Amino acid sequence: MTVDADRLEHLLELVAAGDRAAFADLYDRTGPRVYGMVLRVLRDPGYSEEVTQDVYLQIWRDAGRFDAEQGSAMSWLLTIAHRRAVDRVRSESSASARENRYGLRSLAEVVAGVDDEVLMREAGGRVRDCLGTLTDLQAQAVSMAYYDGFTYREVADRLAVALPTVKSRIRDGLKRLRGCLGSE
């Protein structure tokens, strides 16, 4: 479907006035392009769907701010989409870094205070034993993240699973490790 610039501007005016039918028409006309922009930035269909939804919520709220003298309606929509997608990338990067720091700190706490070789070997044996209590998927994700030094995104890519799945596996695995090691 071709996108007529005048029609989009008119639809944005109607959306600004609270016209739901105009909003649905705007979405039908622009949704694929907005989603495509977000997907190119995020490269994850699930996150892209969420961000696209956020984009349209912002459009619903801010349609009155559109100024045709500043640029076309489609440019305005795609700018919002791009900004939202970049914000999501930054947010995920920050969250991943935070979780990595927390995970490393948690693992360090498990073995903190062990100051001689015998205790280190004993603790290492306990950690290996406790790793055996994890599911294969948890053990694989934890090992890749904390022993091989991969980021959560790299673990997700190597295991061919979604990033939230990897985060859940690692979080649940670390929780089980802490319980097994008696540090909770």
Side-chain angles (χ1 to χ4, degrees):
M1 178 182 295
T2 62
V3 179
D4 178 22
D6 292 334
R7 178 70 180 151
L8 290 181
E9 287 180 21
H10 180 67
L11 287 173
L12 280 172
E13 290 172 10
L14 294 172
V15 169
D19 186 330
R20 292 178 184 204
F23 183 71
D25 190 13
L26 179 74
Y27 177 82
D28 290 342
R29 291 172 181 265
T30 61
R33 286 198 60 196
V34 169
Y35 174 77
M37 164 64 78
V38 172
L39 184 60
R40 278 191 297 280
V41 174
L42 296 179
R43 299 174 192 253
D44 181 286
Y47 282 147
S48 296
E49 289 169 4
E50 289 176 27
V51 170
T52 300
Q53 182 178 8
D54 290 342
V55 167
Y56 280 97
L57 286 172
Q58 183 176 348
I59 291 166
W60 175 256
R61 286 190 311 262
D62 295 344
R65 293 184 179 178
F66 170 70
D67 181 1
E69 292 181 17
Q70 299 287 327
S72 73
M74 184 54 77
S75 294
W76 186 71
L77 297 173
L78 293 176
T79 298
I80 291 171
H82 186 263
R83 287 180 181 160
R84 284 283 183 156
V86 169
D87 287 347
R88 184 58 167 284
V89 168
R90 289 178 181 149
S91 174
E92 286 300 318
S93 294
S94 293
S96 180
R98 244 187 337 273
E99 287 180 24
N100 281 338
R101 285 191 305 271
Y102 173 77
L104 290 173
R105 196 169 37 249
S106 296
L107 283 178
E109 290 171 4
V110 170
V111 295
V114 179
D115 54 4
D116 102 341
E117 186 69 26
V118 174
L119 291 177
M120 285 294 286
R121 287 183 185 171
E122 181 182 328
R126 285 181 59 215
V127 170
R128 278 189 296 281
D129 291 344
C130 288
L131 277 171
T133 67
L134 303 181
T135 67
D136 290 340
L137 299 173
Q138 289 171 338
Q140 189 178 22
V142 168
S143 294
M144 289 175 78
Y146 295 102
Y147 294 116
D148 298 334
F150 293 119
T151 66
Y152 285 14
R153 172 60 69 192
E154 291 170 332
V155 173
D157 291 344
R158 281 176 172 70
L159 297 179
V161 296
L163 181 60
T165 301
V166 166
K167 289 178 178 183
S168 295
R169 286 179 185 169
I170 292 173
R171 182 190 64 242
D172 294 345
L174 290 176
K175 190 174 186 180
R176 190 178 279 187
L177 279 175
R178 282 191 300 271
C180 177
L181 293 169
S183 62
E184 270 197 317

